[in-house]
Amino acid sequence: MTATNNSASDSSNTLMVIDGHSMAYRAFFALPADNFQTATGQHTNAVYGFLNMLLAMIREQQPTHIAVAWDMDTPTFRSEQYPEYKAGRDKTPDEFYGQIDLIKQIMDALNIPNIELDGYEADDIVATMATNAEEAGWKARVVSGDRDTFQLINDNITVLYPMRGVSELPPFDAATIEERYGVSPAQYPDLAALVGETADNLPGVPGVGPGFAARWIKKYGGLQGVLDNIDNIGGKKGEALRENLEAVQRNRELNKLVTNLELPLDLDETVMVNPDRNQVAELFDALEFNTIRDRLFTTFEQQLGTTEEPPPAEDMPETILIDEITDWEAFLTSISEPVSVFCHITPPAVITKRKIPAPGDYGAIRALGFATSHATAVLDVDAASEELGQAVIAFLSDSAYAKVVYDLKSILKALATTASSSPLPARPDVNTSIVGVEDDVLLSAYILQPDRRGYDLTDLVQTYLNTRLESIVATENQGQLELEGIDDDNAQQLAQYARNAWMIHRLNEVMGEQLAERDAVPLLHDLEIPLSIVLAKMELIGIGIDRERLDSLLAGFTNEVEKAQQSAFASIGGQEVNLASPKQLQTVLFETLDMPKTRRTKTGYSTDADSLADLLEKTDHPFLHNLMAFRDATKLRQTVQGLLDSIADDERIHTRFSQTAAATGRLSSLNPNLQNIPVRTPAGRQIRDIFVAGTNPRSDERTTLLTADYSQIEMRIMAHMSEDAGLIQAYQDGEDLHRFVGAQVFEVEPEDVTTSMRDKVKAMSYGLAYGLSSFGLSRQLRISVDEARELMTSYFDRFGAVQRYLRNVVRQARKDGYTQTMLGRRRYLPDLQSDNRQLREMAERAALNAPIQGSAADLIKKAMLGVQDRLERDGLYSRMILQVHDELILEVIDSEVDAAEQILVEEMSSAATLKVPLDVQVGKGYSWHEAAH
DNA sequence: GCCGTTACGTA
DNA sequence: CGTACGTAACGGCT
């Protein structure tokens, strides 16, 4: 965007210049600070109010140019002339702290200049700019809560003055001033000088208000006239005027705004341009601003004349439409480098009632875009001949052609299930459907930035290429199909797919370089990409479900919910409240029943399980017991209902493993989440019992579930990384770790370690990797903070290397800016440098945990590749179906149980060679519950 | 309908 | 005032 249409003489230009501090301060008092706080305690009410005001002003005033003027902390000519100037003001509230700086950062991101000038106030900058604008033949709009700016008003300059907080900013023109004060704008400072300005600590003439002052000014034509006739003014007020003559003259000098400052930038440089979306997104993420984000972009787009034209694909080679086999052959022969392939996958059907994708539906590939550095092409699958379809399939499975894709796993799944009637018939063999994938830019982005929130192609293009992809087509990671910004014309849609392929091509170039720089290429090539293929298989296979038992569980839990609810109502005298509403519960517990207050939350007092347990101890009220039973039962019912809704047509559940969700490198599971199926309570374990061994398509044999989990993987990784001799010895000797540690810490013989001792050191050991504090430990163990502190001290006395390691992890992370796992997976933690203590300490705990949790994730991912490879190479029919962080679940046919078990143990325990053994425990059974050991 | 909050399941 | 996740319900907002 250039300023070509905004030359300095253009009379259609409107400059909006804002007195930043004045507006921020108004916004601060207009919105409750308590309601605008980030998780880390930074207040944002002034920032939010300011932005809202800014957007409203852009919409209403439609400026072509914007600038924000700021006061500096340094003395001004006014304070030098009159030291009491602005003295005696109330102290700025603590909650205001930091908000000015945030606003300035946002202005930077919006490419709106922040202007400040040593020795002058924002007002003077505002005055100079408005005057300059007028001289250039522009209009000017001054946004300020300082009435001194009224003196600037004329035909071309209007002041927008905040009323009712910052929600209304009516324009003040000459008529408004005349009407309100009875003087012209030019005379307003005369009036103000007589009346005085409390806010600036400028007393005027006692007893003289705006009314009298206006009358004098009218009569004598201005302050000068008043002073010339000072002896003709009678009465007490005349007397007072004569006595305060100096103050009035001083006031008039001080409230005169400077209009001829040397500014650090030209008017033209305030032209509105597009915001830096990345910077805005980053700031808004930190500020937890979500709804205002779109409003901001829309406002800017509308004001700037809608669309940013430049197609994101500068330098993009011309696109050819492939609709004949000869086109395809010509395209192929021209290729001498990896081909970027974009697959347009129709989104799966959605169950409208619950807004979830239909279980087991992975969509179909309807179009493909292709790109290399010198060619782009697009192919409409529906319009393709069978011959052309076959040619594409051959290309995809040909390892001679290297490929770059976005979201390999989704493509493999769609390809595996596309209807056989399509020119692109189903390619159920995930091993061969696409071969030669050199990069999946989705996975590359994850490795480069594992704590991003979204990895939509649009977002990646924005971040890495700094361009916009107007609309792109949905895949698994994007959610929905929307083609905004282009018309229905099929050709245009197809062109978009080619552009997407081109973007993938360019992303690959940029990201490939970054990955190479940080030696992360093996992590992509040898771990994440092959894992994507394994995960695609696991998702396609799914896990067997005993629907009948699940149905009866639902009935049982529903019944329990009902019973608990009735008892709960009965125990509070028949009052019917919504037990699922924390708000209503608060009323019952803390008002009706007048129970002691619990932990504070944002909206009142906590009613979580811990708090209820505390209350039960204190009050022994039956309502609490019933409420807890209700909570338990609803949670279980909800889990069961969720599972029932996710059963696919093959009577199995196909969870989706997200490979890009967890910042530490772990997988996550969704739709449904099979990584949080209950296991601790008997009722919960009933749910594990409905996950069963199902039928194997290649065998008539009976099947069994085999589970294998790493024993204390994170503790072992800590022992390995810290090289703590005691811990390593204990693991090598195969001792009961917690008993061993307990014996050391409490200085008793291992056989004399009591359950209570063991529990304490166990909690401590587990807590270590999370950055547990003595306070946290005391809470968890329900012991005093002193006792917890003693426990920690004697723990670290015995295992000093662990403490040194943990400290060192944080220190190194602070130095490097990131942590690293055993396979070199990085997590960047900029907050380690934050001034905000809460933020910084959170980052420190994350730094502590990330290498441990992340290395464990690395290990099991590596093990999964090993297990899958062995199963296939050994020709087994058994299949890996689930991963739950430190556990793998296989569905094996009975004749392969021993072989599969051996593979699991071997591959999992050899995933890495540590200074301690990697113990793997295996269990088998018909159900997941039975297979637990 | 969207979104933040609260609550709770897992490793 | 212990890390990492996903899901669901409520209730205020648009």
Side-chain angles (χ1 to χ4, degrees), chain A residues 624-775:
Chain A
L624 295 167
H625 179 255
N626 296 327
L627 174 58
M628 290 158 95
F630 173 85
R631 284 252 176 93
D632 286 346
T634 31
K635 185 72 185 172
L636 291 164
R637 181 186 60 177
Q638 172 188 303
T639 303
V640 166
Q641 184 64 57
L643 292 174
L644 276 169
D645 292 338
S646 342
I647 300 177
D649 293 343
D650 59 1
E651 289 295 302
R652 296 172 74 97
I653 286 180
H654 304 261
T655 189
R656 250 182 58 191
F657 291 103
S658 172
Q659 209 176 338
T660 58
T664 51
R666 274 189 177 180
L667 299 177
S668 80
S669 156
L670 59 156
N671 284 327
N673 181 356
L674 294 189
Q675 290 178 327
N676 73 341
I677 300 301
V679 70
R680 288 170 200 185
T681 62
R685 283 193 289 271
Q686 288 186 285
I687 300 180
R688 291 224 164 191
D689 222 20
I690 64 93
F691 293 92
V692 296
T695 53
N696 185 302
R698 296 158 77 190
S699 163
D700 294 334
E701 276 187 57
R702 291 171 55 112
T703 57
T704 300
L705 292 184
L706 209 53
T707 74
D709 63 54
Y710 280 118
S711 155
Q712 297 170 345
I713 179 91
E714 296 192 351
M715 197 66 199
R716 285 172 200 259
I717 286 172
M718 248 199 300
H720 170 78
M721 305 243 233
S722 68
E723 303 187 315
D724 186 286
L727 281 185
I728 291 173
Q729 193 60 50
Y731 275 123
Q732 280 173 351
D733 294 348
E735 293 191 49
D736 172 344
L737 197 270
H738 302 308
R739 181 167 294 278
F740 169 81
V741 172
Q744 298 277 313
V745 168
F746 292 104
E747 295 180 306
V748 296
E749 292 303 313
E751 56 270 26
D752 295 332
V753 172
T754 63
T755 312
S756 151
M757 289 172 168
R758 191 177 182 280
D759 287 350
K760 281 177 182 164
V761 297
K762 187 177 170 183
M764 172 89 201
S765 289
Y766 276 115
L768 280 180
Y770 303 144
L772 186 69
S773 66
S774 49
F775 178 89

Side-chain angles (χ1 to χ4, degrees), chain A residues 447-643:
Chain A
I447 291 172
L448 290 171
Q449 298 180 285
D451 36 21
R452 274 184 83 104
R453 308 168 309 131
Y455 294 89
D456 284 4
L457 190 50
T458 328
D459 296 342
L460 299 184
V461 165
Q462 176 63 53
T463 307
Y464 287 92
L465 307 177
N466 208 20
T467 40
R468 284 183 67 194
L469 197 47
E470 274 304 325
S471 63
I472 60 148
V473 172
T475 71
E476 176 178 271
N477 281 279
Q478 291 168 230
Q480 76 258 351
L481 176 70
E482 263 186 6
L483 291 166
E484 289 174 358
I486 60 172
D487 63 39
D488 275 347
D489 186 1
N490 193 33
Q492 290 231 25
Q493 289 198 8
L494 292 172
Q496 182 65 50
Y497 306 145
R499 296 212 302 185
N500 292 351
W502 173 248
M503 288 300 145
I504 292 170
H505 167 77
R506 289 180 53 201
L507 284 171
N508 166 250
E509 289 178 337
V510 173
M511 292 177 174
E513 214 167 286
Q514 294 187 20
L515 287 172
E517 256 171 48
R518 65 156 91 162
D519 299 321
V521 177
L523 193 59
L524 175 72
H525 282 177
D526 306 336
L527 198 76
E528 300 295 357
I529 290 179
L531 184 69
S532 243
I533 299 168
V534 171
L535 292 174
K537 293 174 190 171
M538 292 167 64
E539 293 180 20
L540 286 164
I541 297 166
I543 184 166
I545 298 296
D546 183 339
R547 187 196 278 272
E548 272 182 39
R549 294 202 33 216
L550 196 50
D551 277 330
S552 85
L553 278 184
L554 179 67
F557 291 141
T558 304
N559 188 33
E560 276 184 45
V561 169
E562 190 60 33
K563 270 176 20 202
Q565 178 169 277
Q566 290 314 321
S567 313
F569 291 164
S571 59
I572 49 171
Q575 192 190 345
E576 300 208 349
V577 297
N578 183 347
L579 297 177
S581 162
K583 197 172 167 237
Q584 294 185 35
L585 285 179
Q586 283 171 31
T587 315
V588 172
L589 294 174
F590 307 117
E591 289 174 31
T592 315
L593 298 177
D594 202 26
M595 289 185 178
K597 302 288 192 288
T598 56
R599 177 172 65 83
R600 275 219 70 111
T601 66
K602 276 191 182 172
T603 56
Y605 300 98
S606 175
T607 69
D608 68 9
D610 266 358
S611 305
L612 294 185
D614 275 345
L615 289 178
L616 186 63
E617 222 170 84
K618 287 180 184 151
T619 68
D620 204 33
H621 198 287
F623 175 72
L624 295 167
H625 179 255
N626 296 327
L627 174 58
M628 290 158 95
F630 173 85
R631 284 252 176 93
D632 286 346
T634 31
K635 185 72 185 172
L636 291 164
R637 181 186 60 177
Q638 172 188 303
T639 303
V640 166
Q641 184 64 57
L643 292 174

Side-chain angles (χ1 to χ4, degrees), chain A residues 26-196:
Chain A
R26 291 272 182 149
F28 175 80
F29 289 107
L31 297 168
D34 284 352
N35 297 2
F36 294 84
Q37 239 187 97
T38 65
T40 59
Q42 170 68 53
H43 291 272
T44 55
N45 58 325
V47 183
Y48 189 86
F50 187 96
L51 269 186
N52 241 338
M53 179 280 298
L54 176 70
L55 298 185
M57 284 303 98
I58 292 175
R59 280 195 302 272
E60 286 172 26
Q61 302 297 329
Q62 312 212 322
T64 54
H65 296 67
I66 307 184
V68 183
W70 297 98
D71 298 318
M72 289 185 77
D73 289 334
T74 50
T76 66
F77 75 90
R78 293 188 180 85
S79 61
E80 305 219 317
Q81 212 171 317
Y82 178 58
E84 292 83 7
Y85 182 67
K86 290 194 175 176
R89 287 194 167 184
D90 288 344
K91 183 179 163 293
T92 311
D94 289 343
E95 291 86 351
F96 192 59
Y97 177 80
Q99 299 204 52
I100 291 286
D101 208 50
L102 289 169
I103 294 173
K104 287 183 182 170
Q105 288 178 34
I106 294 174
M107 293 308 114
D108 280 342
L110 298 177
N111 292 313
I112 294 176
N114 291 304
I115 307 173
E116 42 191 29
L117 215 56
D118 201 5
Y120 294 92
E121 292 179 66
D123 270 350
D124 301 315
I125 300 169
V126 164
T128 301
M129 295 197 76
T131 310
N132 291 351
E134 194 201 9
E135 281 168 3
W138 301 9
K139 304 273 184 212
R141 300 286 176 257
V142 170
V143 182
S144 173
D146 188 331
R147 284 188 291 264
D148 286 340
T149 56
F150 291 166
Q151 61 190 274
L152 301 168
I153 294 172
N154 60 31
D155 286 351
N156 295 314
I157 303 178
T158 307
V159 170
L160 301 150
Y161 186 79
M163 311 277 275
R164 297 186 49 219
V166 286
S167 58
E168 285 175 25
L169 288 104
F172 278 40
D173 57 11
T176 323
I177 300 296
E178 193 79 45
E179 189 188 319
R180 290 178 72 108
Y181 300 102
V183 297
S184 69
Q187 291 168 333
Y188 182 83
D190 293 349
L191 178 141
L194 289 165
V195 176

Side-chain angles (χ1 to χ4, degrees), chain A residues 196-397:
Chain A
E197 178 58 77
T198 333
D200 294 339
N201 196 30
L202 296 176
V205 182
V208 173
F212 250 94
R215 216 179 301 163
W216 288 344
I217 290 170
K218 267 246 157 94
K219 185 165 174 195
Y220 300 109
L223 184 60
Q224 195 51 54
V226 174
L227 299 184
D228 291 345
N229 292 285
I230 195 158
D231 295 323
N232 305 331
I233 300 172
K236 271 229 155 53
K237 291 182 200 290
E239 190 62 32
L241 171 60
R242 283 184 287 279
E243 274 171 25
N244 291 280
L245 183 59
E246 273 184 29
V248 171
Q249 284 171 321
R250 175 207 62 209
N251 289 355
R252 187 58 185 91
E253 272 171 48
L254 293 181
N255 74 16
K256 178 177 171 50
L257 299 181
V258 184
T259 58
N260 57 357
L261 293 177
E262 278 291 320
L263 294 180
L265 82 178
D266 289 339
L267 276 184
D268 278 343
E269 294 174 65
T270 66
V271 67
M272 269 185 83
V273 294
N274 288 306
D276 182 326
R277 286 178 169 253
N278 284 335
Q279 238 177 302
V280 172
E282 212 172 288
L283 282 165
F284 281 21
D285 281 349
L287 296 172
E288 299 168 21
F289 287 177
N290 294 311
T291 49
I292 201 170
R293 194 177 308 214
D294 285 342
R295 232 176 336 135
L296 182 143
F297 290 132
T298 327
T299 304
F300 270 77
E301 272 169 25
Q302 282 173 356
Q303 179 57 22
L304 293 170
T306 57
T307 47
E308 267 167 89
E309 238 345 283
E314 323 152 23
D315 305 332
M316 176 175 160
E318 198 182 336
T319 302
I320 56 161
L321 177 67
I322 296 172
D323 52 3
E324 301 281 343
I325 187 81
T326 48
D327 302 329
W328 176 253
E329 283 162 355
F331 175 75
L332 272 196
T333 49
S334 75
I335 289 173
S336 59
E337 57 178 313
V339 187
S340 295
V341 182
F342 172 81
C343 291
H344 165 46
I345 301 172
T346 55
V350 167
I351 297 178
T352 41
K353 204 180 80 186
R354 294 192 67 241
K355 296 193 302 186
I356 56 168
D361 183 351
Y362 304 116
I365 298 179
R366 306 296 288 276
L368 294 134
F370 303 94
T372 66
S373 53
H374 60 272
T376 62
V378 65
L379 187 153
D380 182 349
V381 169
D382 295 323
S385 64
E386 200 176 310
E387 186 188 23
L388 186 49
Q390 288 300 331
V392 170
I393 281 174
F395 160 79
L396 291 176
S397 40

